[in-house]
């Protein structure tokens, strides 16, 4: 929208020689010219203003794409963190189980040598010990790999996620859908795509309108700097009116093309909106299922812990065997591992919901640089 101003400076050196039958003459000249030109569009039917609006949309798209990248990195980091945390808890539970099974195996071996237990009990204890040893090794390797993976994603050690963030377990499905429609980043890109096509359509229509341009020049020239020459100063100003008359129907063809693209973009927006609502419905279902499983596994853990107290008392008076205690310890281990897994699924589902409804970056706002 601003004027186009430019200046030019040129210098020309010319030498010539002429001969006649009576004389020979030489002529050297140096001419220089200084010129200043100004061009300003006075009326373009709003074409350039539309291009500015379109540039704003395209710039905004770059910011949205950057936010999507950051959002995906956050989800990867959370997943990596929860995986490491899960492996740590699993390793802790497996170590405790392995220690107990080792002691139980030693006790069973002693009782078997004394003839107070059966071969079946010994073989069962050895089988459970081998399984516990294998599970312990797997848990150690999983933790090692998990830590390496997390560091590759973030480059920093993890902090305890639930200590710095408040997990809202009372989220409402209807409000989630409202947030998705308003704030989802992918839908924002699709909205901008529609606006972009609409501006392209308007720009094409503007090409049918006349344009009015103002141009002015100021020029100074000296035709000879070596000998006495001629100095010239002049200025011009002009108004140019351009009226489109015939473009071989190209503009009409482009108008129809953009109208078709706008319709396609609107249909694409509706399809993606419905797909995202189905996707967030499934994630919300996983969130609630994981929450219910957590509660169920907590009850199972409490039941196993209560059962172990009873079994230990009965074992002391001889009404229960060590195998009964080992089997209950294994049930307790499985319940704890299942609880850790369901809690991981619960938290990942929660942050996926935040990402889909477009509020994840807001949740981590204090940990992110400002995005202008």
């Amino acid at each position: 929208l601003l004027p186009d101003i430019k200046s030019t400076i040129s210098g020309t050196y010319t030498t010539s020689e002429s001969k006649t039958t009576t004389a020979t003459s030489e002529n050297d000249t140096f001419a220089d010219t200084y010129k200043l030109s100004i061009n300003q569009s006075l009326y373009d039917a709003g074409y350039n203003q539309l291009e500015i609006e379109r540039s704003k949309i395209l710039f905004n798209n770059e910011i949205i794409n950057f936010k999507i990248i950051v959002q995906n990195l956050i989800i990867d980091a959370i997943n990596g963190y929860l995986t490491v945390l899960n492996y740590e808890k699993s390793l802790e539970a497996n170590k405790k189980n392995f220690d107990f099974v080792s002691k139980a195996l030693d006790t069973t071996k002693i009782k078997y040598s004394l003839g107070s237990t059966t071969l079946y009990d010994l073989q069962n204890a050895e089988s459970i010990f081998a399984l516990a040893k294998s599970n312990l090794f797997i848990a150690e390797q999983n933790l090692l790999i998990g830590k390496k993976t997390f560091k590759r994603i973030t480059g920093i050690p993890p902090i305890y996620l639930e200590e710095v963030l408040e997990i809202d377990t009372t989220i409402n499905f209807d409000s989630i859908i409202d947030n998705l429609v308003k704030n989802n980043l992918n839908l924002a890109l699709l909205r901008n795509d529609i606006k972009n096509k609409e501006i392209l359509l308007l720009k094409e229509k503007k090409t049918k309108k006349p344009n009015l341009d103002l141009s002015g020049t100021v020029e100074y020239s000296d035709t000879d700097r070596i000998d006495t020459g001629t100095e010239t100063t002049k200025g011009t100003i002009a108004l140019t009116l351009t009226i489109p008359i015939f473009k071989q129907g190209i503009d009409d063809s482009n108008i129809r093309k953009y109208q078709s693209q706008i319709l396609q973009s609107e249909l694409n927006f509706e399809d993606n909106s419905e797909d995202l609502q189905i996707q967030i419905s499934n994630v919300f279902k996983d969130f609630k299922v994981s929450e219910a499983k957590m509660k169920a596994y907590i009850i199972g853990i409490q039941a196993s812990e209560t059962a172990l107290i009873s079994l230990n008392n009965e074992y002391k008076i001889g009404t229960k065997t060590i195998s009964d205690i080992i089997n209950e310890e294994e049930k307790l281990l499985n319940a704890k591992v299942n609880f850790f897994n369901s809690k991981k699924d619960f938290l990942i589902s929660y942050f996926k919901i935040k990402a889909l409804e477009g509020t994840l970056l807001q949740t981590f706002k204090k940990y992110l640089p400002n995005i202008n």
Side-chain angles (χ1 to χ4, degrees):
L1 299 179
L2 298 175
D4 181 17
I5 304 174
K6 64 180 180 179
S7 63
T8 57
I9 301 173
S10 63
T12 305
Y13 173 74
T14 306
T15 181
S16 63
E17 180 180 336
S18 61
K19 293 181 179 180
T20 65
T21 55
T22 57
T24 299
S25 64
E26 293 183 355
N27 186 28
D28 294 328
T29 61
F30 182 80
D32 54 351
T33 302
Y34 305 87
K35 184 177 181 181
L36 179 68
S37 302
I38 300 176
N39 295 286
Q40 174 67 55
S41 174
L42 298 179
Y43 176 75
D44 63 1
Y47 185 92
N48 287 331
Q49 188 62 50
L50 287 172
E51 184 59 30
I52 291 174
E53 294 302 316
R54 180 169 179 264
S55 296
K56 290 178 181 179
I57 290 173
L58 297 178
F59 177 75
N60 190 40
N61 280 349
E62 295 302 316
I63 294 177
I64 293 173
N65 280 318
F66 176 71
K67 287 181 177 180
I68 290 173
I69 292 171
V70 173
Q71 187 172 259
N72 291 337
L73 285 172
I74 289 174
I75 293 293
D76 287 343
I78 290 172
N79 189 31
Y81 163 76
L82 292 175
T83 299
V84 171
L85 183 64
N86 211 31
Y87 288 154
E88 285 179 344
K89 295 291 185 181
S90 178
L91 178 59
E92 182 182 324
N94 274 284
K95 278 183 176 178
K96 185 178 179 181
N97 180 258
F98 178 78
D99 290 341
F100 176 81
V101 169
S102 298
K103 292 177 182 177
L105 178 61
D106 292 340
T107 301
T108 304
K109 285 180 177 179
I110 294 171
K111 286 190 173 185
Y112 180 75
S113 63
L114 296 174
S116 60
T117 190
T118 64
L119 178 62
Y120 169 78
D121 289 332
L122 176 61
Q123 291 174 336
N124 185 46
E126 289 175 340
S127 173
I128 293 174
F129 173 79
L131 182 61
K133 186 177 181 180
S134 174
N135 288 338
L136 179 61
F137 175 76
I138 292 171
E140 289 171 342
Q141 294 304 307
N142 283 340
L143 179 59
L144 180 65
I145 295 170
K147 285 183 175 180
K148 288 182 179 179
T149 303
F150 181 81
K151 190 170 184 181
R152 182 184 63 81
I153 295 171
T154 63
I156 57 174
I159 57 176
Y160 192 50
L161 194 66
E162 291 174 276
E163 288 183 356
V164 297
L165 295 173
E166 183 178 349
I167 308 299
D168 183 10
T169 59
T170 62
I171 52 177
N172 179 269
F173 181 73
D174 291 334
S175 64
I176 291 172
I177 294 296
D178 290 340
N179 285 330
L180 179 142
V181 174
K182 293 176 185 176
N183 304 319
N184 181 270
L185 296 177
N186 289 300
L187 290 183
L189 283 177
L190 293 174
R191 286 193 189 92
N192 282 350
D193 183 54
I194 295 173
K195 292 178 183 177
N196 183 42
K197 296 293 194 325
E198 289 173 344
I199 289 176
L200 289 173
L201 174 61
L202 289 173
K203 283 180 60 182
E204 197 61 44
K205 290 180 178 179
K206 297 294 184 183
T207 60
K208 292 174 170 285
K209 304 292 184 180
N211 294 309
L212 182 62
D213 299 300
L214 172 68
S215 61
T217 59
V218 178
E219 183 178 327
Y220 167 80
S221 63
D222 188 343
T223 58
D224 200 336
R225 287 290 188 186
I226 299 176
D227 299 318
T228 302
T230 302
E231 295 184 14
T232 304
T233 302
K234 64 179 180 179
T236 62
I237 186 168
L239 283 172
T240 304
L241 178 64
T242 304
I243 303 175
I245 297 176
F246 179 66
K247 291 187 177 181
Q248 302 172 333
I250 295 174
D251 49 357
D252 292 329
S253 175
N254 287 336
I255 287 172
R256 290 192 296 271
K257 177 185 72 175
Y258 290 129
Q259 287 173 336
S260 175
Q261 288 181 356
I262 290 171
L263 179 59
Q264 291 174 16
S265 295
E266 289 174 343
L267 292 173
N268 191 32
F269 176 84
E270 294 298 327
D271 286 343
N272 278 271
S273 179
E274 292 178 3
D275 287 343
L276 284 170
Q277 290 187 43
I278 293 172
Q279 185 178 345
I280 205 168
S281 297
N282 285 324
V283 176
F284 184 76
K285 178 199 70 177
D286 294 339
F287 174 76
K288 286 299 183 182
V289 168
S290 299
E291 185 179 29
K293 284 183 176 180
M294 284 169 57
K295 293 177 181 178
Y297 290 132
I298 287 174
I299 295 172
I301 291 170
Q302 292 172 345
S304 289
E305 289 174 342
T306 302
L308 280 170
I309 295 173
S310 176
L311 285 170
N312 277 298
N313 290 331
E314 292 184 58
Y315 174 73
K316 290 176 182 178
I317 61 176
T319 57
K320 292 292 183 181
T321 66
I322 193 68
S323 295
D324 296 324
I325 299 177
I326 290 175
N327 290 333
E328 194 60 42
E329 282 284 351
E330 187 177 3
K331 285 175 62 178
L332 177 61
L333 171 65
N334 290 333
K336 286 182 176 180
V337 170
N338 288 332
F339 172 77
F340 300 147
N341 289 332
S342 61
K343 186 172 184 179
K344 175 189 173 185
D345 294 340
F346 172 79
L347 291 173
I348 288 178
S349 296
Y350 175 80
F351 289 110
K352 280 184 177 180
I353 289 171
K354 288 292 180 183
L356 287 170
E357 68 174 4
T359 59
L360 182 64
L361 295 182
Q362 186 65 30
T363 303
F364 288 89
K365 185 178 180 179
K366 62 183 289 188
Y367 303 100
L368 298 174
N370 291 328
I371 302 173
N372 297 320

